[in-house]
Amino acid sequence: PHAPTITNVFYFRDPTCPHHYGRGNTNESDRVLQKRHLQDLLQSIDPLGQLDDEVEEVLLQIGDDFLEDVISASAQIAAHRKSKQLEAKDVLLYLDRHHDLWLPGYSKEEFKPPKKDICTEQHKQRLEMIRKAQRQ
């Protein structure tokens, strides 16, 4: 079964999409992370640091692939909960479960569904009868 189409989300694996960030994309303007950002990050860590062009390209490709995977898997999570919109909780759930990542500024509790009380009244009565039997 194929997941329903998610609205308000780019489907990144579609090579006809003008914003396709998928594997093999080397067009600098279409990338989420650009060489300038990577160089700025390196300079903030080590002002004398330099990256080879090949290393830069590999890091940019890894970043693009990671984002593609996160968006695709998060869209499947949204589809699983029968939503047509990708929400922050879908992305956070994927990152938490598959990469053990949590974004600063977002509380885990904020996106967890409330726990349902699985104890029915009948179950509570049975537990009480067992407790009484054990006391005797």
Side-chain angles (χ1 to χ4, degrees), residues 8-63:
N8 299 333
V9 176
F10 290 115
Y11 187 67
F12 290 99
R13 295 187 192 271
D14 182 3
T16 63
C17 177
H19 297 285
H20 175 68
Y21 303 118
R23 291 159 175 83
N25 181 21
T26 57
N27 187 354
E28 181 71 17
S29 65
D30 286 344
R31 290 208 153 153
V32 175
L33 180 64
Q34 297 182 351
K35 287 185 180 186
R36 180 178 44 83
H37 298 124
L38 191 57
Q39 290 166 352
D40 290 346
L41 178 62
L42 177 62
Q43 293 303 310
S44 72
I45 296 169
D46 181 7
L48 302 175
Q50 300 231 337
L51 293 174
D52 289 339
D53 287 340
E54 288 180 30
V55 172
E56 250 180 13
E57 191 60 39
V58 168
L59 289 174
L60 292 170
Q61 191 62 49
I62 289 170

Side-chain angles (χ1 to χ4, degrees), residues 5 8-9 11 13 15 24-25 28 50 55-56 72 79 85 90 97 99 104-105 109-110 116 126-127 134:
T5 304
N8 299 333
V9 176
Y11 187 67
R13 295 187 192 271
N25 181 21
E28 181 71 17
Q50 300 231 337
V55 172
E56 250 180 13
S72 179
Q85 288 190 343
D90 304 315
R97 296 279 168 90
H99 296 286
E109 303 306 317
E110 183 179 337
K116 295 179 182 176
R126 276 183 271 174
L127 287 175
Q134 287 176 343

Side-chain angles (χ1 to χ4, degrees), residues 12-13 21 23 62-76 94-95 99:
F12 290 99
R13 295 187 192 271
Y21 303 118
R23 291 159 175 83
I62 289 170
D64 286 344
D65 291 346
F66 176 75
L67 287 173
E68 179 183 346
D69 292 343
V70 168
I71 297 296
S72 179
S74 300
Q76 289 178 348
Y94 173 77
L95 290 174
H99 296 286

Side-chain angles (χ1 to χ4, degrees), residues 101-112:
L101 294 174
W102 199 255
L103 301 179
Y106 290 95
S107 166
K108 283 188 178 189
E109 303 306 317
E110 183 179 337
F111 293 104
K112 284 186 179 177

Side-chain angles (χ1 to χ4, degrees), residues 78-107:
H80 178 72
R81 61 181 180 79
K82 297 178 182 17
S83 175
K84 294 193 183 266
Q85 288 190 343
L86 182 62
E87 295 178 13
K89 64 183 176 183
D90 304 315
V91 176
L92 293 171
L93 178 64
Y94 173 77
L95 290 174
D96 184 35
R97 296 279 168 90
H98 294 275
H99 296 286
D100 199 24
L101 294 174
W102 199 255
L103 301 179
Y106 290 95
S107 166

